[in-house]
Amino acid sequence: MDAHAPVVGVLALQGAFAAHELALAEVGVATRQVRSRADLAMVSALVMPGGESTTMSRLLATSGLFDELQRRIDDGMPVFGTCAGMILLATEVLDGRPDQRSFGAIDISVRRNGYGRQVDSFETDIHVEGEALPFHAVFIRAPKVVAVGPEVHVMASHDDVPVLVRQGSVMVASFHPELAGDARLHRMFVQHNEIRKA
Ligand code: GLN
């Protein structure tokens, strides 16, 4: 292990963070669960997992993490948001709770639970740009992207709706890539942002 290698944080206030750590470990980067500002100070990139965006928004505020995380994101820290993490990073959230906050880090409008309720959760294979083999995407009460700004690059769509998009160092997915047993999207995040391996 290289003690100076960058550490990729996984926001661990709530939700599906453990499987993200496994995927990142498979890619070969060091990881750390982030629950406090002290944890955040030790990481140079962050994965924001799926879960419940309203709960995460509340916990980000009560833990004192929200403003510091906003500052780091505004400073250009690479972030990968999945499902609820996508909602938290979007510029506009439709059907959110009035008090839920988001970071406005990627110029997309998302509709919370836009694919329907828990019973409407589904799995499908998607084509990701640059990848020969399909990626198995698990959608769980997923947010639906309803608009993307001109700076946003669409990496994958499902039924003509973007489901994996990137803007600069911010990448977001409507689905749960950590549940696919396939670390390719985590590898893309690490490689695109030139995060060195441990
Ligand atoms: N619908 C959830 C929310 O509003 C997201 C679901 C998920 O992350 N699997 O945050």
Side-chain angles (χ1 to χ4, degrees), residues 75-124:
D75 267 5
M77 176 177 68
V79 276
F80 181 19
T82 64
C83 205
M86 169 191 257
I87 298 171
L88 286 165
L89 288 166
T91 46
E92 185 179 37
V93 179
L94 306 175
D95 294 344
R97 264 191 21 191
D99 60 344
Q100 98 178 81
R101 295 173 69 192
S102 57
F103 293 104
I106 182 162
D107 189 14
I108 58 172
S109 178
V110 297
R111 186 173 300 284
R112 202 173 146 235
N113 301 334
Y115 288 95
R117 291 150 21 119
Q118 188 79 22
V119 289
D120 302 309
S121 297
F122 65 101
E123 304 185 14
T124 188

Side-chain angles (χ1 to χ4, degrees), residues 10 16 59 85 133 156:
V10 181
L59 293 174
L133 296 176

Side-chain angles (χ1 to χ4, degrees), residues 171-188:
M171 177 169 150
V172 292
S174 302
F175 53 93
H176 280 256
E178 80 285 6
L179 296 181
D182 180 341
R184 279 181 292 162
L185 301 191
H186 293 78
R187 183 170 294 112
M188 269 181 208

Side-chain angles (χ1 to χ4, degrees), residues 133-174:
L133 296 176
F135 191 90
H136 191 68
V138 181
F139 292 77
I140 304 169
R141 285 190 306 125
K144 195 173 213 168
V145 173
V146 294
V148 298
E151 307 295 318
V152 175
H153 180 69
V154 177
M155 300 164 68
S157 295
H158 170 63
D159 286 347
D160 293 328
V161 177
V163 293
L164 177 67
V165 300
R166 174 164 70 205
Q167 181 177 1
S169 53
V170 180
M171 177 169 150
V172 292
S174 302

